[in-house]
Amino acid sequence: MTQIRDLEDGKEGFGFYYLREKLNKVTRQGKDYFDLVLEDETGTILARVWEIDKQVKGDLTSDTYVKAEYLADTYNEQLQLKILMIREIQDSDYDEGFDESSCHRSSPFPIDKMWEEIRKISSECSSKVSELLFSVLDEYSDSLRAWPAASKMHHAYFGGLLEHTLSVTKTCIYFAKKYRVSRDLIVSGAILHDIGKLEELSRASGGEYTKKGRLVGHIVLGRDIVRKFASKIPDFPEDFLLELEHLILSHQGQPEWGTVKVPMSKEALLLHYADDTDAKFNLVSNYIADDKSEGSFTNYYPNMNRVFLKGTKSAEDQD
């Protein structure tokens, strides 16, 4: 078996994958085919099934584990798979090496270490704010340590939400000192800004959006979670809670990005940029790492409307 990162153009093989997405498509000639997104611990890749009746064995649905035989092929300078046979996992596949954990990408950083760090940061806030943060962290500890930050985009892997939350929080700690804004407010906003994703996404593998996730969305769901836990703390400061709600409701920054309110406080503005920077950097870093094109630049990245330099040696390295 060859992992996704090691696939080579023109080579046939087989592997076990998590079927992240299945889309029914139709060619210009009216022929049905499938677009699939397959995942293992090293990455994701687009796969296509051109002969559905011949190549698909049994039912095939998103959010399942599959065995696939394929031909790796480059199209428009992007490596993808032509599926020769695909089916859902059977009991006999465990004897061939199938393991669910090898079918999912995960954060490159240790979960336990990140969890300890975010709890330490929470303990350094004032007593009421610390009590709020710990009440939320304790309630959602299992899922917060596992959930992705998104189903497809940035940090879309096991532990991705915790990694993203900690990274945004550390940036906000720097901002609080540099720009002399409320540390309690911006730190609590950073830790809680995406907490609604625990109710927006259906499972740690990313999977499907929940009904609440589609109809309400993580921003309002997160605000509701924070209000619920704050209401259980006697004499929790009302003005602070109102500004914290604003940080959560405005963190996506722009209406076209799904925000409920635009940032209208210094802390809200800084949180938005910390969040946006971390999300975009993760997207670009993963795209560069996954790119298999030759040369100094990646293939065109439609999400950012550009190509990216793959990297160069620093002056220190060159010396």
Side-chain angles (χ1 to χ4, degrees), residues 95-302:
D95 295 330
E96 288 192 62
F98 168 67
D99 178 3
E100 290 184 10
S101 64
S102 68
C103 295
H104 294 288
R105 300 186 79 165
S106 61
S107 173
F109 304 102
I111 299 296
D112 288 343
K113 185 175 181 180
M114 290 192 292
W115 185 245
E116 290 173 5
E117 190 168 1
I118 207 161
R119 289 182 66 85
K120 182 177 184 298
I121 293 169
S122 298
S123 71
E124 295 167 349
C125 295
S126 61
S127 60
K128 293 288 186 184
V129 174
S130 182
E131 184 178 354
L132 172 64
L133 293 175
F134 277 116
S135 65
V136 176
L137 294 177
D138 290 344
E139 177 69 19
Y140 293 99
S141 60
D142 289 341
S143 51
L144 188 51
R145 290 163 58 93
W147 244 238
S151 63
K152 298 178 185 177
M153 301 296 284
H154 71 93
H155 300 87
Y157 44 73
F158 186 92
L161 180 58
L162 180 59
E163 177 190 333
H164 171 62
T165 298
L166 179 59
S167 179
V168 172
T169 301
K170 291 165 79 170
T171 299
C172 285
I173 290 172
Y174 168 76
F175 281 164
K177 183 176 181 180
K178 177 176 175 60
Y179 294 111
R180 298 182 179 180
V181 298
S182 169
R183 188 183 190 279
D184 270 1
L185 184 57
I186 198 170
V187 166
S188 57
I191 291 174
L192 298 172
H193 79 283
D194 271 348
I195 198 69
K197 289 189 175 181
L198 300 179
E199 295 187 1
E200 180 180 59
L201 299 174
S202 61
R203 54 182 292 183
S205 61
E208 300 292 333
Y209 282 85
T210 63
K211 188 175 182 179
K212 287 195 296 185
R214 291 199 179 277
L215 295 180
V216 179
H218 79 277
I219 295 177
V220 175
L221 291 171
R223 189 280 305 268
D224 291 347
I225 289 171
V226 171
R227 290 182 73 173
K228 180 180 73 173
F229 282 91
S231 70
K232 299 177 182 179
I233 299 174
D235 301 320
F236 193 87
E238 292 183 7
D239 286 345
F240 183 91
L241 177 59
L242 180 61
E243 292 194 40
L244 177 56
E245 289 179 46
H246 176 67
L247 264 66
I248 295 169
L249 293 173
S250 66
H251 76 265
Q252 289 199 203
Q254 301 180 40
E256 58 267 32
W257 293 355
T259 198
V260 175
K261 300 294 291 184
V262 296
M264 291 188 286
S265 70
K266 292 181 288 186
E267 291 85 359
L269 187 68
L270 293 171
L271 173 60
H272 161 61
Y273 285 119
D275 177 50
D276 188 52
T277 297
D278 191 64
K280 283 186 169 61
F281 189 82
N282 180 262
L283 280 173
V284 172
S285 296
N286 287 331
Y287 187 77
I288 293 172
D290 292 343
D291 185 84
K292 297 183 182 299
S293 62
E294 298 180 358
S296 300
F297 289 87
T298 66
N299 289 313
Y300 178 78
Y301 186 29

Side-chain angles (χ1 to χ4, degrees), residues 1-9 14-20 36-47 66 68 70 72 78-81 102-105 289-292:
M1 290 186 292
T2 303
Q3 293 182 308
I4 287 174
R5 69 181 171 197
D6 298 323
L7 291 168
E8 296 181 21
D9 184 43
F14 83 94
F16 301 115
Y17 306 100
Y18 170 61
L19 177 53
R20 178 167 286 278
L36 311 177
V37 177
L38 301 179
E39 175 181 327
D40 69 13
E41 62 185 342
T42 69
T44 60
I45 193 167
L46 174 67
V66 297
Y70 59 79
Q78 192 69 37
L79 191 67
Q80 57 185 247
L81 301 181
S102 68
C103 295
H104 294 288
R105 300 186 79 165
D290 292 343
D291 185 84
K292 297 183 182 299

